[in-house]
Amino acid sequence: MVLSPASRAPVSFFYFAPGAHAPGFILSPAPQAKLLNAVNDQLAQHYLTDALKTFHDYKTLAERAFAQVSDDDFFATIDSESNSIAVNMKHMAGNMLSRWTDFLTTDGEKPNRERDLEFVILPDTGKADLLAYWKKGWQCVFDAIEPLRADDLLRTVLIRGEKHTVMQAINRQIAHYAYHTGQIVYLAKHFKSSEWQTLSVRATSPPNSTPILSGR
């Protein structure tokens, strides 16, 4: 039996009817739709599970990086235009609290957010304060993501008045946090230099290779 053009799809689902002499009977529209919905639900749930894991992975990556630096380096900048590890963390946490508080029902840019202050470390701010703020921000992310279900992914949320599906909003924040996590890792590695403990697979040199900077 040949599918009509409207019902053709990249994936074909076949039903082997009991007693049928030939395999490959196509599901009637109602069971086919039910099966497709089940597959879509599985994909959506897989996406949510993977997104949550990705957020946890970036949190862990950043923490493994800044755990290696001294308190002085935690607040240090490498030039006048750069942000410190502390500032990156403060900005990320501020963004998290704004974006993920009442995620499904309010704009992700909260009216009480003071974004400019996220890039300023006040004189009385200590490392413990920033670590607590960092933890609070991430908990807000996890508390918003964990209850989501497959049918939430195409709901509309706002960020600065701009409409996003829930999936688009999640992807936007994954990209944002990856960007700043990379900055944190780069800074920590810069400050630790030769004492840096790698966070991934250590590079190895091919046999009989010569280091690039050898002799300089």
Side-chain angles (χ1 to χ4, degrees):
M1 180 180 294
V2 178
L3 288 171
S4 64
S7 61
R8 289 177 186 153
V11 179
S12 298
F13 297 96
F14 296 93
Y15 171 63
F16 297 90
H21 294 291
F25 283 84
I26 300 300
L27 286 173
S28 61
Q32 188 179 43
K34 185 175 181 180
L35 182 56
L36 285 170
N37 286 338
V39 172
N40 288 338
D41 286 347
Q42 289 180 3
L43 288 173
Q45 196 57 52
H46 174 73
Y47 168 81
L48 288 169
T49 300
D50 188 64
L52 184 61
K53 180 181 182 300
T54 299
F55 282 124
H56 276 285
D57 287 346
Y58 282 128
K59 177 178 182 289
T60 300
L61 185 66
E63 289 173 349
R64 289 178 62 202
F66 66 67
Q68 298 188 43
V69 304
S70 68
D71 287 359
D72 287 343
D73 287 341
F74 185 78
F75 290 95
T77 58
I78 56 176
D79 59 58
S80 61
E81 294 299 317
S82 297
N83 293 319
S84 63
I85 292 174
V87 164
N88 274 286
M89 291 172 60
K90 184 179 180 182
H91 168 58
M92 287 176 71
N95 174 279
M96 292 169 186
L97 292 170
S98 182
R99 293 289 185 268
W100 298 101
T101 299
D102 300 323
F103 171 58
L104 294 176
T105 56
T106 64
D107 193 303
E109 188 68 12
K110 301 297 185 289
N112 62 345
R113 183 187 183 191
E114 296 182 293
R115 185 179 182 278
D116 289 349
L117 286 180
E118 294 169 10
F119 296 90
V120 177
I121 302 298
L122 301 176
D124 59 346
T125 301
K127 184 176 181 179
D129 300 316
L130 287 168
L131 291 175
Y133 192 50
W134 168 263
K135 182 178 179 180
K136 182 179 179 181
W138 278 110
Q139 192 59 54
C140 191
V141 177
F142 303 144
D143 288 345
I145 296 290
E146 287 171 358
L148 295 177
R149 295 294 176 261
D151 56 0
D152 289 321
L153 286 180
L154 295 182
R155 291 178 63 175
T156 299
V157 295
L158 298 177
I159 300 178
R160 296 184 181 141
E162 181 183 350
K163 292 182 179 180
H164 296 65
T165 63
V166 166
M167 180 180 285
Q168 288 173 326
I170 292 173
N171 289 341
R172 172 173 172 157
Q173 297 315 115
I174 287 176
H176 187 196
Y177 303 155
Y179 173 78
H180 288 292
T181 296
Q183 291 181 322
I184 290 171
V185 172
Y186 174 82
L187 288 168
K189 186 174 182 180
H190 168 80
F191 290 128
K192 291 303 292 183
S193 187
S194 60
E195 297 178 357
W196 171 253
Q197 298 298 310
T198 184
L199 306 179
S200 58
V201 179
R202 184 178 297 277
T204 58
S205 299
N208 302 319
S209 65
T210 303
I212 293 175
L213 298 181
S214 177
R216 293 187 181 181

